[in-house]
Amino acid sequence: MPGVSIAEAADHVGLSTDTLRYYEKDGLLLRPVPRDLGGRRQYDEPDLRWIRLVTCLRATGMPIRDVRRYADLVRAGDGNEEERLALLHAHREEVLRRLAEVTAHLGAIDHKIGIYEHRLEELDRSA
């Protein structure tokens, strides 16, 4: 795929152009985004795949500093896979902890819904 503009890239990955610029400025991308002769950013498919991963990590609550650290490790190349794996394992554990917490909260909400639905059914039967 030839390079795409920042607007097209934003559309492909579901982010705003401002967010893409922020990711680039804050060191979250693997490389400086190449530019065409007019100075416009040109994202290629590997850039978009990486941005999707960054988006996934952020959406699951990974702090920017950890995303930046992960990007630094990937940019450094082979030899730090254990550190990358440890970072991802730690994030996975945090995601699972939060998922369990949200699941418990959802159970409480479902319980309350059940109470109200049952109550409304009783009212309908008595009417």
Side-chain angles (χ1 to χ4, degrees):
M1 169 174 113
V4 297
S5 71
I6 192 168
E8 292 167 317
D11 187 51
H12 280 294
V13 298
L15 298 173
S16 70
T17 56
D18 288 339
T19 299
L20 289 180
R21 286 185 192 99
Y22 171 77
Y23 281 4
E24 183 179 357
K25 178 181 160 220
D26 209 37
L28 304 181
L29 302 185
L30 292 182
R31 66 181 184 140
V33 178
R35 295 177 184 255
D36 65 15
L37 294 175
R40 293 175 294 272
R41 291 169 176 83
Q42 293 291 293
Y43 295 84
D44 63 14
E45 189 55 39
D47 295 323
L48 299 178
R49 278 194 307 271
W50 178 259
I51 292 165
R52 285 184 193 103
L53 175 61
V54 169
T55 301
C56 173
L57 295 173
R58 290 293 299 135
T60 55
M62 183 180 271
I64 290 285
R65 71 180 177 282
D66 290 346
V67 176
R68 188 179 311 107
R69 177 70 183 138
Y70 184 66
D72 289 344
L73 291 168
V74 173
R75 275 192 299 271
D78 294 343
N80 60 32
E81 290 81 3
E82 285 185 26
E83 194 172 348
R84 293 183 211 181
L85 185 59
L87 197 150
L88 292 173
H89 272 302
H91 180 61
R92 182 179 189 278
E93 289 304 312
E94 177 60 20
V95 170
L96 288 172
R97 185 196 64 73
R98 284 187 290 118
L99 183 58
E101 183 179 20
V102 169
T103 300
H105 295 321
L106 181 59
I109 292 167
D110 287 342
H111 177 73
K112 273 297 186 192
I113 287 171
I115 290 171
Y116 290 120
E117 287 176 343
H118 180 72
R119 177 71 177 133
L120 290 174
E121 287 171 9
E122 286 178 344
L123 290 173
D124 282 346
R125 273 185 260 148
S126 68

